[in-house]
Amino acid sequence: MSATAVSLPPESRRVVLRRAQDRGHANFGWLDARFSFSFASYQDPEHENFGPLRALNEDVILPGTGFGPHGHSDMEIVIYPLSGVIEHRDSLGTHALVRPGDVQRMTAGHGITHSQMNASQSKLDHHLQIWLLPSVRGLPPSVEQAHFDDAAKHNRFCLIASPDRQDGSVKLHQDARISAAIMEPGVRLSRELAAGRGGYLHVARGRLEARPEGEQPLLLRAGDALKLVETLFVELVAEEVSEVLFFDLPLSPQE
């Protein structure tokens, strides 16, 4: 069953639909980027952050190019590859290759310099770059990486980042949890949220129907997202092979 894409009225803040084409966009030749939240020259007062989730960028990097050495501080930066290989180097001496199935978390803390380059000379790199505000500033910088193969995400939500490394997830210095799933057509999955928590659903690829509690069903495609506030349950039904990320986040009362 397919849902009809609908526009939610502006006064409905329980579920906010963010279409892929409504994101910010920048193309620098070597980098083609889509921004779900205000980032760099793209500024959108309606989408500054969602709780501690500060950035969710979809980056496509040409072969042999990338982000040269640059600095960060007081940010949790998570890389979720979709295709290709990222080569990471940093001022701590870390050298890592980040491939699909890997999840890398970098705590910028009181300051770190790093580079992210497409490791291939012939293939595109495609990844999600996720930024979360830490609960504590001035932490020692650190880098952690874990691998979750397709089987771990097959028709189930797999916890990939959490504040307590539950189920082998990478550690976030924030009360936030990120889960990922790869759904076959017809598969149904659901997520529940505790009171005072918000959910952010991002479709990395595929097409699915989202059924938030008490709201109309919505058809979502790659790049689409939902913000869930005071909505404690959402069901997902895949219409084709789909890869999704779900963020369980603390929210302030005004969000």
Side-chain angles (χ1 to χ4, degrees), residues 58-95:
E58 182 176 358
D59 293 340
V60 177
I61 300 176
L62 289 181
T65 68
F67 299 94
H70 59 284
H72 294 285
S73 62
D74 291 320
M75 195 66 68
E76 301 286 283
I77 299 176
V78 176
I79 299 297
Y80 187 89
L82 298 172
S83 64
V85 183
I86 278 286
E87 183 174 21
H88 166 100
R89 296 180 185 271
D90 62 46
S91 52
L92 301 176
T94 310
H95 177 213

Side-chain angles (χ1 to χ4, degrees), residues 138-199:
L139 292 166
S142 63
V143 176
E144 180 182 11
Q145 191 163 313
H147 185 78
F148 306 91
D149 60 20
D150 286 359
K153 295 174 278 190
H154 185 246
N155 292 335
R156 62 182 291 269
F157 274 105
C158 173
L159 187 66
I160 61 173
S162 71
D164 53 10
R165 292 196 175 96
Q166 181 182 344
D167 299 332
S169 56
V170 297
K171 180 179 176 63
L172 292 175
H173 296 90
Q174 176 56 261
D175 182 21
R177 284 173 158 73
I178 308 173
S179 301
I182 299 174
M183 303 170 64
E184 298 293 331
V187 168
R188 297 169 181 249
L189 294 177
S190 63
R191 301 300 290 170
E192 295 186 27
L193 291 162
R197 306 285 293 186

Side-chain angles (χ1 to χ4, degrees), residues 94-152:
T94 310
H95 177 213
L97 296 177
V98 192
R99 300 179 172 89
D102 293 335
V103 176
Q104 185 191 77
R105 183 270 304 155
M106 184 176 76
T107 295
H110 58 66
I112 191 170
T113 299
H114 78 138
S115 63
Q116 292 173 308
M117 306 297 294
N118 184 341
S120 173
Q121 297 298 314
S122 60
K123 297 180 180 179
L124 294 173
D125 167 74
H126 185 194
H127 68 268
L128 300 178
Q129 180 180 175
I130 300 158
W131 290 18
L132 296 104
L133 298 166
S135 56
V136 178
R137 297 173 63 88
L139 292 166
S142 63
V143 176
E144 180 182 11
Q145 191 163 313
H147 185 78
F148 306 91
D149 60 20
D150 286 359

